[in-house]
Amino acid sequence: MPIRMTSSMISGEYKNQMNTTLSQLDYYTKRAQNLRNFSKFSENPLGASKAMRLRRSYTQNQDYMNNIENVGKTYTMAEESAMNVKNILDEAKDILTTSSNFGTRSQADYMTFATALRGFQQDILQSMNAKVNDTYVFGGANATEIPFKLDGGNLQFRGVEVATGDAGELESLSKESIYIDIGLGINVDKNGNVDTASVFNDTMNGLEFFGYGEDDDGYSKNVYNLLGQAADAIEKYAKGNGTAYNKDIASKFIEKVSNATSRVLISTSNLGIKQNQLDSLGERLVSTQEELTEQLHNLEYVDAEEAYTDYTWQQYVYNASLQIGSKLLQTSFLDFMK
């Protein structure tokens, strides 16, 4: 049975088609202006979902890169500070070597040696309390508070005396660990313990670098206290106590300072190994970031030539629709009266 098409039906259908064509023209116009493949989730749900996942990965990767950058700054300061301490110890060793030439130096010379060693102590203390922004480099698990302080002339690390403090407590402080995520893929076992191989130990402890406690000979293992002991012995000798400092004692101090220097160098070398690992991982993260950026750009943006071609074609369709409408729709009575 034939269907009768009225002018109102034709007009209504034409208006619907024109609204669709106009909406598409508006979409392609904006697309040609901002070159975005889609601006709303509803325009491309699948692409928008994928873009959200990519952006999440991009943000996480950026966080990893920021963590590595921050650690790198801390490591640079730690290395500079440790090497400064090493250089100071070298100078102290030279003074001790000079002081061991008894009979060629006056009492005033020995007072000068003691004063120089105490000055070295202050320089070392500044290096041990080195900071990057608001973070103390050698603070261990608590990097927001100054790690090394003097209390009545006694050196303390976070409130515990470095020389005579509880050995177990000092040992525990020296082995503290703070782990950060740098994109290795955190693994947690069934007991909720984090696999240390899947994270990075960001802790640098001043006790590990500069020593604590005393050795079997009664000499301090801490570089600050060791120079203080040497200064005390030399000063007593300068004031007339001939047994406080002699050739054997000077040789012992030289040996202990050499050992302390070696410990600082070993810690610094270990720091360099970890820095190389970070640099290698950082390069991989940069490469990943570039790949994610390219994927996001390809997904969210369209080629300029393609966008303009689509816009031109849609504009042609719209103009053609207008021309068809002028022929398809009947003129009104007022048009007829003209």
Side-chain angles (χ1 to χ4, degrees), residues 49-86:
S49 298
K50 186 176 181 181
M52 289 177 63
R53 291 194 298 270
L54 286 173
R55 286 193 174 277
R56 188 179 301 113
S57 298
Y58 182 94
T59 301
Q60 288 177 341
N61 198 74
Q62 186 64 55
D63 288 340
Y64 300 149
M65 292 172 64
N66 290 339
N67 286 342
I68 288 179
E69 182 181 359
N70 291 333
V71 172
K73 292 178 181 178
T74 305
Y75 273 30
T76 299
M77 177 57 72
E79 184 176 359
E80 291 177 357
S81 300
M83 291 307 296
N84 184 54
V85 170
K86 182 265 181 189

PDB file of all heavy atoms in Angstrom, residues 49-86:
ATOM      1  N   SER A  49      38.641   5.823  27.209  1.00  0.00           N
ATOM      2  CA  SER A  49      39.060   4.876  28.254  1.00  0.00           C
ATOM      3  C   SER A  49      40.538   4.539  28.116  1.00  0.00           C
ATOM      4  O   SER A  49      41.272   4.486  29.098  1.00  0.00           O
ATOM      5  CB  SER A  49      38.217   3.603  28.163  1.00  0.00           C
ATOM      6  OG  SER A  49      36.852   3.877  28.383  1.00  0.00           O
ATOM      7  N   LYS A  50      40.962   4.314  26.879  1.00  0.00           N
ATOM      8  CA  LYS A  50      42.369   4.011  26.644  1.00  0.00           C
ATOM      9  C   LYS A  50      43.246   5.207  26.995  1.00  0.00           C
ATOM     10  O   LYS A  50      44.339   5.047  27.570  1.00  0.00           O
ATOM     11  CB  LYS A  50      42.576   3.624  25.184  1.00  0.00           C
ATOM     12  CG  LYS A  50      43.990   3.160  24.865  1.00  0.00           C
ATOM     13  CD  LYS A  50      44.122   2.691  23.434  1.00  0.00           C
ATOM     14  CE  LYS A  50      45.542   2.217  23.146  1.00  0.00           C
ATOM     15  NZ  LYS A  50      45.687   1.771  21.734  1.00  0.00           N
ATOM     16  N   ALA A  51      42.763   6.420  26.679  1.00  0.00           N
ATOM     17  CA  ALA A  51      43.521   7.629  27.002  1.00  0.00           C
ATOM     18  C   ALA A  51      43.684   7.792  28.506  1.00  0.00           C
ATOM     19  O   ALA A  51      44.746   8.202  28.990  1.00  0.00           O
ATOM     20  CB  ALA A  51      42.842   8.856  26.406  1.00  0.00           C
ATOM     21  N   MET A  52      42.625   7.439  29.266  1.00  0.00           N
ATOM     22  CA  MET A  52      42.705   7.531  30.725  1.00  0.00           C
ATOM     23  C   MET A  52      43.756   6.573  31.268  1.00  0.00           C
ATOM     24  O   MET A  52      44.525   6.926  32.170  1.00  0.00           O
ATOM     25  CB  MET A  52      41.333   7.231  31.329  1.00  0.00           C
ATOM     26  CG  MET A  52      40.297   8.323  31.096  1.00  0.00           C
ATOM     27  SD  MET A  52      38.654   7.900  31.745  1.00  0.00           S
ATOM     28  CE  MET A  52      39.015   7.763  33.498  1.00  0.00           C
ATOM     29  N   ARG A  53      43.812   5.368  30.718  1.00  0.00           N
ATOM     30  CA  ARG A  53      44.825   4.399  31.162  1.00  0.00           C
ATOM     31  C   ARG A  53      46.228   4.887  30.820  1.00  0.00           C
ATOM     32  O   ARG A  53      47.160   4.767  31.629  1.00  0.00           O
ATOM     33  CB  ARG A  53      44.562   3.039  30.519  1.00  0.00           C
ATOM     34  CG  ARG A  53      43.307   2.341  31.022  1.00  0.00           C
ATOM     35  CD  ARG A  53      43.298   0.876  30.610  1.00  0.00           C
ATOM     36  NE  ARG A  53      43.287   0.720  29.160  1.00  0.00           N
ATOM     37  CZ  ARG A  53      42.195   0.645  28.419  1.00  0.00           C
ATOM     38  NH1 ARG A  53      40.999   0.746  29.001  1.00  0.00           N
ATOM     39  NH2 ARG A  53      42.268   0.474  27.115  1.00  0.00           N
ATOM     40  N   LEU A  54      46.371   5.445  29.623  1.00  0.00           N
ATOM     41  CA  LEU A  54      47.684   5.952  29.217  1.00  0.00           C
ATOM     42  C   LEU A  54      48.124   7.123  30.095  1.00  0.00           C
ATOM     43  O   LEU A  54      49.295   7.222  30.473  1.00  0.00           O
ATOM     44  CB  LEU A  54      47.651   6.383  27.751  1.00  0.00           C
ATOM     45  CG  LEU A  54      47.638   5.260  26.711  1.00  0.00           C
ATOM     46  CD1 LEU A  54      47.433   5.843  25.313  1.00  0.00           C
ATOM     47  CD2 LEU A  54      48.932   4.461  26.757  1.00  0.00           C
ATOM     48  N   ARG A  55      47.167   8.006  30.411  1.00  0.00           N
ATOM     49  CA  ARG A  55      47.500   9.163  31.247  1.00  0.00           C
ATOM     50  C   ARG A  55      47.864   8.719  32.662  1.00  0.00           C
ATOM     51  O   ARG A  55      48.722   9.317  33.308  1.00  0.00           O
ATOM     52  CB  ARG A  55      46.344  10.155  31.281  1.00  0.00           C
ATOM     53  CG  ARG A  55      46.202  10.937  29.988  1.00  0.00           C
ATOM     54  CD  ARG A  55      45.269  12.124  30.125  1.00  0.00           C
ATOM     55  NE  ARG A  55      45.268  12.913  28.907  1.00  0.00           N
ATOM     56  CZ  ARG A  55      46.161  13.826  28.599  1.00  0.00           C
ATOM     57  NH1 ARG A  55      47.161  14.066  29.446  1.00  0.00           N
ATOM     58  NH2 ARG A  55      46.084  14.507  27.475  1.00  0.00           N
ATOM     59  N   ARG A  56      47.200   7.673  33.145  1.00  0.00           N
ATOM     60  CA  ARG A  56      47.553   7.144  34.463  1.00  0.00           C
ATOM     61  C   ARG A  56      48.978   6.595  34.445  1.00  0.00           C
ATOM     62  O   ARG A  56      49.771   6.850  35.359  1.00  0.00           O
ATOM     63  CB  ARG A  56      46.566   6.049  34.860  1.00  0.00           C
ATOM     64  CG  ARG A  56      46.739   5.566  36.304  1.00  0.00           C
ATOM     65  CD  ARG A  56      45.729   4.483  36.670  1.00  0.00           C
ATOM     66  NE  ARG A  56      44.364   4.961  36.508  1.00  0.00           N
ATOM     67  CZ  ARG A  56      43.524   4.497  35.582  1.00  0.00           C
ATOM     68  NH1 ARG A  56      43.913   3.560  34.740  1.00  0.00           N
ATOM     69  NH2 ARG A  56      42.304   4.967  35.502  1.00  0.00           N
ATOM     70  N   SER A  57      49.297   5.862  33.384  1.00  0.00           N
ATOM     71  CA  SER A  57      50.666   5.337  33.249  1.00  0.00           C
ATOM     72  C   SER A  57      51.671   6.469  33.105  1.00  0.00           C
ATOM     73  O   SER A  57      52.773   6.415  33.662  1.00  0.00           O
ATOM     74  CB  SER A  57      50.742   4.412  32.027  1.00  0.00           C
ATOM     75  OG  SER A  57      49.900   3.297  32.175  1.00  0.00           O
ATOM     76  N   TYR A  58      51.280   7.496  32.373  1.00  0.00           N
ATOM     77  CA  TYR A  58      52.153   8.652  32.168  1.00  0.00           C
ATOM     78  C   TYR A  58      52.443   9.336  33.505  1.00  0.00           C
ATOM     79  O   TYR A  58      53.594   9.691  33.805  1.00  0.00           O
ATOM     80  CB  TYR A  58      51.483   9.629  31.202  1.00  0.00           C
ATOM     81  CG  TYR A  58      52.303  10.849  30.859  1.00  0.00           C
ATOM     82  CD1 TYR A  58      53.119  10.884  29.736  1.00  0.00           C
ATOM     83  CD2 TYR A  58      52.264  11.991  31.659  1.00  0.00           C
ATOM     84  CE1 TYR A  58      53.873  11.997  29.419  1.00  0.00           C
ATOM     85  CE2 TYR A  58      53.016  13.112  31.360  1.00  0.00           C
ATOM     86  CZ  TYR A  58      53.806  13.113  30.232  1.00  0.00           C
ATOM     87  OH  TYR A  58      54.547  14.233  29.935  1.00  0.00           O
ATOM     88  N   THR A  59      51.408   9.520  34.317  1.00  0.00           N
ATOM     89  CA  THR A  59      51.568  10.179  35.612  1.00  0.00           C
ATOM     90  C   THR A  59      52.437   9.344  36.547  1.00  0.00           C
ATOM     91  O   THR A  59      53.315   9.873  37.242  1.00  0.00           O
ATOM     92  CB  THR A  59      50.197  10.429  36.262  1.00  0.00           C
ATOM     93  OG1 THR A  59      49.399  11.241  35.398  1.00  0.00           O
ATOM     94  CG2 THR A  59      50.350  11.135  37.604  1.00  0.00           C
ATOM     95  N   GLN A  60      52.192   8.033  36.579  1.00  0.00           N
ATOM     96  CA  GLN A  60      53.012   7.158  37.415  1.00  0.00           C
ATOM     97  C   GLN A  60      54.471   7.197  36.982  1.00  0.00           C
ATOM     98  O   GLN A  60      55.374   7.285  37.817  1.00  0.00           O
ATOM     99  CB  GLN A  60      52.482   5.724  37.327  1.00  0.00           C
ATOM    100  CG  GLN A  60      51.157   5.502  38.043  1.00  0.00           C
ATOM    101  CD  GLN A  60      50.644   4.087  37.863  1.00  0.00           C
ATOM    102  OE1 GLN A  60      51.056   3.368  36.950  1.00  0.00           O
ATOM    103  NE2 GLN A  60      49.735   3.670  38.726  1.00  0.00           N
ATOM    104  N   ASN A  61      54.684   7.133  35.683  1.00  0.00           N
ATOM    105  CA  ASN A  61      56.052   7.168  35.170  1.00  0.00           C
ATOM    106  C   ASN A  61      56.728   8.486  35.508  1.00  0.00           C
ATOM    107  O   ASN A  61      57.923   8.532  35.826  1.00  0.00           O
ATOM    108  CB  ASN A  61      56.039   6.950  33.658  1.00  0.00           C
ATOM    109  CG  ASN A  61      57.387   6.534  33.107  1.00  0.00           C
ATOM    110  OD1 ASN A  61      57.828   5.407  33.287  1.00  0.00           O
ATOM    111  ND2 ASN A  61      58.053   7.454  32.422  1.00  0.00           N
ATOM    112  N   GLN A  62      55.961   9.583  35.458  1.00  0.00           N
ATOM    113  CA  GLN A  62      56.503  10.891  35.818  1.00  0.00           C
ATOM    114  C   GLN A  62      56.884  10.932  37.290  1.00  0.00           C
ATOM    115  O   GLN A  62      57.906  11.520  37.667  1.00  0.00           O
ATOM    116  CB  GLN A  62      55.478  11.987  35.511  1.00  0.00           C
ATOM    117  CG  GLN A  62      55.993  13.403  35.709  1.00  0.00           C
ATOM    118  CD  GLN A  62      57.120  13.750  34.762  1.00  0.00           C
ATOM    119  OE1 GLN A  62      56.974  13.628  33.549  1.00  0.00           O
ATOM    120  NE2 GLN A  62      58.258  14.161  35.304  1.00  0.00           N
ATOM    121  N   ASP A  63      56.055  10.275  38.131  1.00  0.00           N
ATOM    122  CA  ASP A  63      56.374  10.198  39.557  1.00  0.00           C
ATOM    123  C   ASP A  63      57.679   9.440  39.775  1.00  0.00           C
ATOM    124  O   ASP A  63      58.512   9.833  40.607  1.00  0.00           O
ATOM    125  CB  ASP A  63      55.235   9.506  40.322  1.00  0.00           C
ATOM    126  CG  ASP A  63      54.000  10.383  40.420  1.00  0.00           C
ATOM    127  OD1 ASP A  63      54.117  11.617  40.256  1.00  0.00           O
ATOM    128  OD2 ASP A  63      52.907   9.829  40.655  1.00  0.00           O
ATOM    129  N   TYR A  64      57.854   8.339  39.039  1.00  0.00           N
ATOM    130  CA  TYR A  64      59.103   7.580  39.152  1.00  0.00           C
ATOM    131  C   TYR A  64      60.294   8.445  38.757  1.00  0.00           C
ATOM    132  O   TYR A  64      61.343   8.441  39.420  1.00  0.00           O
ATOM    133  CB  TYR A  64      59.061   6.348  38.246  1.00  0.00           C
ATOM    134  CG  TYR A  64      57.938   5.376  38.543  1.00  0.00           C
ATOM    135  CD1 TYR A  64      57.370   4.617  37.524  1.00  0.00           C
ATOM    136  CD2 TYR A  64      57.454   5.207  39.836  1.00  0.00           C
ATOM    137  CE1 TYR A  64      56.350   3.714  37.782  1.00  0.00           C
ATOM    138  CE2 TYR A  64      56.423   4.323  40.100  1.00  0.00           C
ATOM    139  CZ  TYR A  64      55.873   3.575  39.063  1.00  0.00           C
ATOM    140  OH  TYR A  64      54.862   2.694  39.319  1.00  0.00           O
ATOM    141  N   MET A  65      60.132   9.200  37.667  1.00  0.00           N
ATOM    142  CA  MET A  65      61.213  10.065  37.201  1.00  0.00           C
ATOM    143  C   MET A  65      61.527  11.149  38.228  1.00  0.00           C
ATOM    144  O   MET A  65      62.699  11.466  38.469  1.00  0.00           O
ATOM    145  CB  MET A  65      60.831  10.693  35.858  1.00  0.00           C
ATOM    146  CG  MET A  65      60.750   9.700  34.711  1.00  0.00           C
ATOM    147  SD  MET A  65      60.066  10.420  33.188  1.00  0.00           S
ATOM    148  CE  MET A  65      61.323  11.656  32.818  1.00  0.00           C
ATOM    149  N   ASN A  66      60.483  11.708  38.849  1.00  0.00           N
ATOM    150  CA  ASN A  66      60.693  12.739  39.873  1.00  0.00           C
ATOM    151  C   ASN A  66      61.419  12.155  41.078  1.00  0.00           C
ATOM    152  O   ASN A  66      62.308  12.802  41.665  1.00  0.00           O
ATOM    153  CB  ASN A  66      59.355  13.335  40.304  1.00  0.00           C
ATOM    154  CG  ASN A  66      58.716  14.180  39.220  1.00  0.00           C
ATOM    155  OD1 ASN A  66      59.389  14.659  38.304  1.00  0.00           O
ATOM    156  ND2 ASN A  66      57.422  14.374  39.290  1.00  0.00           N
ATOM    157  N   ASN A  67      61.034  10.912  41.455  1.00  0.00           N
ATOM    158  CA  ASN A  67      61.703  10.263  42.587  1.00  0.00           C
ATOM    159  C   ASN A  67      63.191  10.071  42.301  1.00  0.00           C
ATOM    160  O   ASN A  67      64.040  10.327  43.159  1.00  0.00           O
ATOM    161  CB  ASN A  67      61.050   8.908  42.874  1.00  0.00           C
ATOM    162  CG  ASN A  67      59.694   9.039  43.539  1.00  0.00           C
ATOM    163  OD1 ASN A  67      59.363  10.083  44.091  1.00  0.00           O
ATOM    164  ND2 ASN A  67      58.902   7.988  43.479  1.00  0.00           N
ATOM    165  N   ILE A  68      63.487   9.606  41.097  1.00  0.00           N
ATOM    166  CA  ILE A  68      64.884   9.390  40.725  1.00  0.00           C
ATOM    167  C   ILE A  68      65.649  10.715  40.689  1.00  0.00           C
ATOM    168  O   ILE A  68      66.795  10.806  41.132  1.00  0.00           O
ATOM    169  CB  ILE A  68      64.967   8.667  39.368  1.00  0.00           C
ATOM    170  CG1 ILE A  68      64.539   7.210  39.530  1.00  0.00           C
ATOM    171  CG2 ILE A  68      66.386   8.749  38.792  1.00  0.00           C
ATOM    172  CD1 ILE A  68      64.559   6.421  38.245  1.00  0.00           C
ATOM    173  N   GLU A  69      64.995  11.756  40.174  1.00  0.00           N
ATOM    174  CA  GLU A  69      65.654  13.069  40.123  1.00  0.00           C
ATOM    175  C   GLU A  69      65.964  13.580  41.530  1.00  0.00           C
ATOM    176  O   GLU A  69      67.065  14.090  41.787  1.00  0.00           O
ATOM    177  CB  GLU A  69      64.754  14.066  39.388  1.00  0.00           C
ATOM    178  CG  GLU A  69      65.379  15.446  39.254  1.00  0.00           C
ATOM    179  CD  GLU A  69      64.472  16.442  38.546  1.00  0.00           C
ATOM    180  OE1 GLU A  69      63.361  16.038  38.145  1.00  0.00           O
ATOM    181  OE2 GLU A  69      64.874  17.605  38.398  1.00  0.00           O
ATOM    182  N   ASN A  70      64.993  13.424  42.449  1.00  0.00           N
ATOM    183  CA  ASN A  70      65.207  13.889  43.821  1.00  0.00           C
ATOM    184  C   ASN A  70      66.305  13.085  44.511  1.00  0.00           C
ATOM    185  O   ASN A  70      67.149  13.637  45.227  1.00  0.00           O
ATOM    186  CB  ASN A  70      63.902  13.785  44.612  1.00  0.00           C
ATOM    187  CG  ASN A  70      62.857  14.768  44.142  1.00  0.00           C
ATOM    188  OD1 ASN A  70      63.189  15.829  43.600  1.00  0.00           O
ATOM    189  ND2 ASN A  70      61.589  14.440  44.316  1.00  0.00           N
ATOM    190  N   VAL A  71      66.276  11.765  44.299  1.00  0.00           N
ATOM    191  CA  VAL A  71      67.321  10.924  44.881  1.00  0.00           C
ATOM    192  C   VAL A  71      68.678  11.307  44.302  1.00  0.00           C
ATOM    193  O   VAL A  71      69.685  11.354  45.014  1.00  0.00           O
ATOM    194  CB  VAL A  71      67.024   9.433  44.628  1.00  0.00           C
ATOM    195  CG1 VAL A  71      68.211   8.576  45.065  1.00  0.00           C
ATOM    196  CG2 VAL A  71      65.779   9.002  45.382  1.00  0.00           C
ATOM    197  N   GLY A  72      68.702  11.588  43.001  1.00  0.00           N
ATOM    198  CA  GLY A  72      69.951  11.977  42.363  1.00  0.00           C
ATOM    199  C   GLY A  72      70.545  13.237  42.971  1.00  0.00           C
ATOM    200  O   GLY A  72      71.766  13.323  43.171  1.00  0.00           O
ATOM    201  N   LYS A  73      69.689  14.217  43.271  1.00  0.00           N
ATOM    202  CA  LYS A  73      70.174  15.447  43.905  1.00  0.00           C
ATOM    203  C   LYS A  73      70.763  15.148  45.283  1.00  0.00           C
ATOM    204  O   LYS A  73      71.818  15.686  45.653  1.00  0.00           O
ATOM    205  CB  LYS A  73      69.029  16.449  44.040  1.00  0.00           C
ATOM    206  CG  LYS A  73      68.524  17.013  42.723  1.00  0.00           C
ATOM    207  CD  LYS A  73      67.353  17.962  42.956  1.00  0.00           C
ATOM    208  CE  LYS A  73      66.823  18.513  41.634  1.00  0.00           C
ATOM    209  NZ  LYS A  73      65.653  19.395  41.834  1.00  0.00           N
ATOM    210  N   THR A  74      70.065  14.283  46.028  1.00  0.00           N
ATOM    211  CA  THR A  74      70.548  13.917  47.357  1.00  0.00           C
ATOM    212  C   THR A  74      71.871  13.171  47.268  1.00  0.00           C
ATOM    213  O   THR A  74      72.798  13.417  48.053  1.00  0.00           O
ATOM    214  CB  THR A  74      69.505  13.037  48.074  1.00  0.00           C
ATOM    215  OG1 THR A  74      68.246  13.716  48.105  1.00  0.00           O
ATOM    216  CG2 THR A  74      69.935  12.741  49.499  1.00  0.00           C
ATOM    217  N   TYR A  75      71.973  12.274  46.288  1.00  0.00           N
ATOM    218  CA  TYR A  75      73.206  11.508  46.122  1.00  0.00           C
ATOM    219  C   TYR A  75      74.376  12.416  45.736  1.00  0.00           C
ATOM    220  O   TYR A  75      75.504  12.205  46.185  1.00  0.00           O
ATOM    221  CB  TYR A  75      73.011  10.435  45.054  1.00  0.00           C
ATOM    222  CG  TYR A  75      72.447   9.141  45.596  1.00  0.00           C
ATOM    223  CD1 TYR A  75      71.600   9.141  46.694  1.00  0.00           C
ATOM    224  CD2 TYR A  75      72.754   7.928  45.021  1.00  0.00           C
ATOM    225  CE1 TYR A  75      71.079   7.977  47.201  1.00  0.00           C
ATOM    226  CE2 TYR A  75      72.242   6.737  45.523  1.00  0.00           C
ATOM    227  CZ  TYR A  75      71.402   6.771  46.613  1.00  0.00           C
ATOM    228  OH  TYR A  75      70.894   5.612  47.128  1.00  0.00           O
ATOM    229  N   THR A  76      74.090  13.384  44.893  1.00  0.00           N
ATOM    230  CA  THR A  76      75.150  14.321  44.502  1.00  0.00           C
ATOM    231  C   THR A  76      75.686  15.074  45.706  1.00  0.00           C
ATOM    232  O   THR A  76      76.904  15.210  45.888  1.00  0.00           O
ATOM    233  CB  THR A  76      74.623  15.311  43.453  1.00  0.00           C
ATOM    234  OG1 THR A  76      74.209  14.598  42.285  1.00  0.00           O
ATOM    235  CG2 THR A  76      75.692  16.320  43.068  1.00  0.00           C
ATOM    236  N   MET A  77      74.765  15.559  46.557  1.00  0.00           N
ATOM    237  CA  MET A  77      75.186  16.268  47.763  1.00  0.00           C
ATOM    238  C   MET A  77      75.912  15.333  48.722  1.00  0.00           C
ATOM    239  O   MET A  77      76.918  15.714  49.348  1.00  0.00           O
ATOM    240  CB  MET A  77      73.976  16.882  48.456  1.00  0.00           C
ATOM    241  CG  MET A  77      74.301  17.584  49.776  1.00  0.00           C
ATOM    242  SD  MET A  77      75.548  18.893  49.592  1.00  0.00           S
ATOM    243  CE  MET A  77      74.563  20.139  48.739  1.00  0.00           C
ATOM    244  N   ALA A  78      75.436  14.088  48.832  1.00  0.00           N
ATOM    245  CA  ALA A  78      76.083  13.122  49.717  1.00  0.00           C
ATOM    246  C   ALA A  78      77.508  12.836  49.259  1.00  0.00           C
ATOM    247  O   ALA A  78      78.440  12.786  50.077  1.00  0.00           O
ATOM    248  CB  ALA A  78      75.274  11.823  49.759  1.00  0.00           C
ATOM    249  N   GLU A  79      77.669  12.670  47.969  1.00  0.00           N
ATOM    250  CA  GLU A  79      78.998  12.395  47.436  1.00  0.00           C
ATOM    251  C   GLU A  79      79.930  13.579  47.655  1.00  0.00           C
ATOM    252  O   GLU A  79      81.092  13.401  48.066  1.00  0.00           O
ATOM    253  CB  GLU A  79      78.910  12.067  45.944  1.00  0.00           C
ATOM    254  CG  GLU A  79      80.242  11.680  45.325  1.00  0.00           C
ATOM    255  CD  GLU A  79      80.119  11.256  43.880  1.00  0.00           C
ATOM    256  OE1 GLU A  79      78.995  11.238  43.352  1.00  0.00           O
ATOM    257  OE2 GLU A  79      81.160  10.943  43.273  1.00  0.00           O
ATOM    258  N   GLU A  80      79.429  14.787  47.408  1.00  0.00           N
ATOM    259  CA  GLU A  80      80.259  15.973  47.618  1.00  0.00           C
ATOM    260  C   GLU A  80      80.658  16.109  49.085  1.00  0.00           C
ATOM    261  O   GLU A  80      81.820  16.421  49.405  1.00  0.00           O
ATOM    262  CB  GLU A  80      79.493  17.222  47.165  1.00  0.00           C
ATOM    263  CG  GLU A  80      79.300  17.309  45.654  1.00  0.00           C
ATOM    264  CD  GLU A  80      78.472  18.515  45.250  1.00  0.00           C
ATOM    265  OE1 GLU A  80      78.004  19.237  46.167  1.00  0.00           O
ATOM    266  OE2 GLU A  80      78.291  18.746  44.041  1.00  0.00           O
ATOM    267  N   SER A  81      79.688  15.863  49.981  1.00  0.00           N
ATOM    268  CA  SER A  81      79.962  15.997  51.414  1.00  0.00           C
ATOM    269  C   SER A  81      80.946  14.931  51.881  1.00  0.00           C
ATOM    270  O   SER A  81      81.880  15.214  52.650  1.00  0.00           O
ATOM    271  CB  SER A  81      78.653  15.889  52.206  1.00  0.00           C
ATOM    272  OG  SER A  81      77.753  16.903  51.831  1.00  0.00           O
ATOM    273  N   ALA A  82      80.743  13.688  51.426  1.00  0.00           N
ATOM    274  CA  ALA A  82      81.641  12.598  51.821  1.00  0.00           C
ATOM    275  C   ALA A  82      83.057  12.839  51.316  1.00  0.00           C
ATOM    276  O   ALA A  82      84.039  12.598  52.039  1.00  0.00           O
ATOM    277  CB  ALA A  82      81.102  11.267  51.304  1.00  0.00           C
ATOM    278  N   MET A  83      83.170  13.315  50.090  1.00  0.00           N
ATOM    279  CA  MET A  83      84.499  13.586  49.544  1.00  0.00           C
ATOM    280  C   MET A  83      85.147  14.766  50.262  1.00  0.00           C
ATOM    281  O   MET A  83      86.380  14.806  50.414  1.00  0.00           O
ATOM    282  CB  MET A  83      84.411  13.857  48.046  1.00  0.00           C
ATOM    283  CG  MET A  83      84.043  12.633  47.222  1.00  0.00           C
ATOM    284  SD  MET A  83      85.115  11.203  47.553  1.00  0.00           S
ATOM    285  CE  MET A  83      86.700  11.836  46.988  1.00  0.00           C
ATOM    286  N   ASN A  84      84.340  15.701  50.724  1.00  0.00           N
ATOM    287  CA  ASN A  84      84.886  16.807  51.506  1.00  0.00           C
ATOM    288  C   ASN A  84      85.471  16.288  52.819  1.00  0.00           C
ATOM    289  O   ASN A  84      86.564  16.698  53.241  1.00  0.00           O
ATOM    290  CB  ASN A  84      83.800  17.839  51.793  1.00  0.00           C
ATOM    291  CG  ASN A  84      84.336  19.055  52.532  1.00  0.00           C
ATOM    292  OD1 ASN A  84      85.287  19.685  52.104  1.00  0.00           O
ATOM    293  ND2 ASN A  84      83.726  19.373  53.677  1.00  0.00           N
ATOM    294  N   VAL A  85      84.740  15.353  53.452  1.00  0.00           N
ATOM    295  CA  VAL A  85      85.242  14.738  54.681  1.00  0.00           C
ATOM    296  C   VAL A  85      86.529  13.972  54.394  1.00  0.00           C
ATOM    297  O   VAL A  85      87.502  14.026  55.167  1.00  0.00           O
ATOM    298  CB  VAL A  85      84.178  13.800  55.292  1.00  0.00           C
ATOM    299  CG1 VAL A  85      84.780  12.980  56.438  1.00  0.00           C
ATOM    300  CG2 VAL A  85      82.993  14.602  55.791  1.00  0.00           C
ATOM    301  N   LYS A  86      86.558  13.258  53.280  1.00  0.00           N
ATOM    302  CA  LYS A  86      87.765  12.506  52.895  1.00  0.00           C
ATOM    303  C   LYS A  86      88.959  13.450  52.743  1.00  0.00           C
ATOM    304  O   LYS A  86      90.075  13.151  53.216  1.00  0.00           O
ATOM    305  CB  LYS A  86      87.475  11.752  51.598  1.00  0.00           C
ATOM    306  CG  LYS A  86      88.626  10.889  51.099  1.00  0.00           C
ATOM    307  CD  LYS A  86      89.487  11.610  50.065  1.00  0.00           C
ATOM    308  CE  LYS A  86      90.626  10.746  49.555  1.00  0.00           C
ATOM    309  NZ  LYS A  86      91.568  11.504  48.715  1.00  0.00           N
TER     310      LYS A  86
END
